Amino acid sequence: MTARNGQRPGRAILGGSFNPPHVGHLRLAVEAREALGHLVQGVDLVPCAQPPHKKTGNLLPFELRAAMLEAALAPLPQLRCNRLEALRDGPSYTWDTLRAYHAAEPGTDFYFLLGSPDFALLPTWQRGLELPRLCHFVVVPRGDLTPDEFMDMTRALWPTAREHPSALPGGVCMALPGGGLAYFLPLPWLAVSASRIRELWLAGRSVDYLVPEAALNLLRTHRQAIAAHWREAQ
């Protein structure tokens, strides 16, 4: 897969369990959309139906997580929720999701957003090292990861990876086997976690300003069922 210079904009993809969606998800999507600029027409947030790498005991039903995400994204026209992973049975592998995107939007470039810890774990994903055939990576560093360390990490994953001119503010990009690129995109990372929000919720404490108000309204509406579900999984 190669970039289509001068052709129609691509689409960025941010996956997650969104259990529940929170401001960290939204800020990452908003800032990535701004940084990617003309390369993309928007960002899809894709709730995972059956996460292959996480325990699912505390996972709220897909329909509720997707509804909360859609409510949170309603004021943000360049962000949208895509429910495509609920259309498949079995684990929600990124490889299958990206293939579904290509089938639905042929000729589009896809920019897959992920943090540097997940980027380092790609060998543990289903066909993770083959994903550059289907997408570009946009890697947001956590901690003090430097551009040089990012390049070393990338070469450790794909020994034939090489530096490539970057169109993003991070200034570092690597060309990968299969045609995809890996962009280094330093963005502020809000230290907000869904697990912490669940702990606060179960303790009867406020999660105001951690969960978007529209999603929080749905949490309140389904308070008893959600609390029972999260508590049973502890």
Side-chain angles (χ1 to χ4, degrees), residues 169-189:
V172 175
C173 180
M174 301 288 285
L176 309 178
L181 302 173
Y183 292 94
F184 180 75
L185 182 61
L187 293 174
W189 194 290

Side-chain angles (χ1 to χ4, degrees), residues 2 7 46 57 70 87 92 99 102 105 115 119 124 130 136 145 160 178 184 189 200 202 212-213 225 230:
T2 57
Q7 298 187 36
V46 181
E70 286 167 348
L87 303 177
S92 301
R99 288 192 65 187
H102 278 278
E105 303 180 43
F119 184 65
T124 70
E130 297 179 57
H136 304 299
L145 186 75
T160 60
F184 180 75
W189 194 290
L200 293 171
L202 291 174
E213 187 66 23
W230 283 345

Side-chain angles (χ1 to χ4, degrees), residues 6-24:
Q7 298 187 36
R8 64 189 176 97
R11 180 158 294 277
I13 299 171
L14 175 62
S17 55
F18 302 106
N19 186 43
H22 55 67
V23 295

Side-chain angles (χ1 to χ4, degrees), residues 12-226:
I13 299 171
L14 175 62
S17 55
F18 302 106
N19 186 43
H22 55 67
V23 295
H25 298 132
L26 269 62
R27 281 307 307 173
L28 177 58
V30 167
E31 297 209 31
R33 169 67 188 91
E34 292 175 345
L36 289 166
H38 69 279
L39 294 177
V40 300
Q41 57 186 335
V43 180
D44 279 10
L45 287 82
V46 181
C48 190
Q50 297 186 44
H53 298 290
K54 292 184 179 181
K55 295 179 180 179
T56 59
N58 66 3
L59 197 65
L60 293 175
F62 179 88
E63 179 63 33
L64 179 54
R65 290 182 286 120
M68 286 192 290
L69 188 55
E70 286 167 348
L73 298 179
L76 303 167
Q78 292 185 320
L79 309 184
R80 70 182 186 185
C81 172
N82 190 326
R83 294 172 174 243
L84 68 87
E85 291 199 348
L87 303 177
R88 300 195 309 270
D89 294 327
S92 301
Y93 293 120
T94 299
W95 174 267
D96 295 331
T97 297
L98 287 169
R99 288 192 65 187
Y101 263 102
H102 278 278
E105 303 180 43
T108 298
D109 277 348
F110 297 103
Y111 295 79
F112 190 76
L113 300 167
L114 73 172
S116 54
D118 285 332
F119 184 65
L121 290 174
L122 283 176
T124 70
W125 292 25
Q126 177 84 349
R127 305 185 72 168
L129 296 181
E130 297 179 57
L131 290 174
R133 292 166 50 187
L134 302 177
C135 71
H136 304 299
F137 293 112
V138 180
V139 181
V140 180
R142 290 200 191 187
D144 298 322
L145 186 75
T146 67
D148 285 342
E149 289 169 338
F150 164 74
M151 290 190 289
D152 289 342
M153 179 187 299
T154 304
R155 292 190 187 100
L157 296 172
W158 297 277
T160 60
R162 65 186 189 281
E163 271 196 81
H164 186 276
S166 179
L168 300 186
V172 175
C173 180
M174 301 288 285
L176 309 178
L181 302 173
Y183 292 94
F184 180 75
L185 182 61
L187 293 174
W189 194 290
L190 297 183
V192 180
S193 72
S195 61
R196 174 61 173 158
I197 291 169
R198 293 193 295 269
E199 290 174 5
L200 293 171
W201 184 262
L202 291 174
R205 296 173 60 185
S206 172
V207 295
D208 290 345
Y209 307 109
L210 294 175
V211 177
E213 187 66 23
L216 186 53
N217 287 337
L218 285 172
L219 281 177
R220 291 170 178 145
T221 298
H222 301 278
R223 177 183 296 275
Q224 292 184 341
I226 290 171

